[in-house]
Amino acid sequence: MGRLLVDGRDVANLMLADTWARRARGMLGRRRLPEAMWFVGEASVHGMGMTQALDVAQLDADGVVVAVHVLRPFGLVPPRRGAVDVLEAPRGSFERWGVRTGSRVARDDGTGSGPGG
């Protein structure tokens, strides 16, 4: 577990989905959703099996948001040119955190790793 930074501000706990198994599970089957989840190496996501809408940001290699979406249950966010990772959070989180196209997000695991970190 790390922290999510948005434009240099620490905004939430962050789970990293950096293996096939973690990406496959994502936010499915969780009684309580994580504050945020970063999918490494995924340019698109789906809402199959989800019961609630999510905020989704597609990120370039530098952690810059190239597109923002609301993913509804059973919906799809298709790949987007330049996107290499995806950030998900419960619906309404991005508005509170100020995540929009052009925002820079980063992961902080205490070592300063991750885009922008």
Side-chain angles (χ1 to χ4, degrees):
M1 182 87 63
R3 297 293 298 169
L4 175 66
L5 308 176
V6 176
D7 295 325
R9 292 175 292 110
D10 185 324
V11 298
N13 287 319
L14 178 67
M15 291 186 71
L16 192 60
D18 58 349
T19 66
W20 181 88
R22 289 180 184 151
R23 288 189 298 269
R25 177 163 186 214
M27 291 199 181
L28 291 173
R30 297 179 187 273
R31 287 184 182 196
R32 190 181 129 149
L33 294 179
E35 290 183 75
M37 184 172 277
W38 189 308
F39 291 79
V40 176
E42 294 292 333
S44 68
V45 290
H46 65 81
M48 299 303 290
M50 295 299 298
T51 59
Q52 56 189 296
L54 300 173
D55 288 339
V56 173
Q58 292 170 296
L59 314 173
D60 72 9
D62 294 320
V64 175
V65 176
V66 297
V68 175
H69 311 271
V70 173
L71 176 62
R72 305 215 186 281
F74 296 93
L76 174 71
V77 172
R80 179 156 184 136
R81 180 183 297 274
V84 298
D85 291 346
V86 169
L87 177 68
E88 290 184 353
R91 179 75 180 109
S93 300
F94 286 3
E95 184 177 345
R96 283 193 318 277
W97 302 337
V99 174
R100 58 187 55 86
T101 302
S103 295
R104 182 177 298 271
V105 298
R107 304 184 304 263
D108 184 356
D109 63 3
T111 66
S113 65

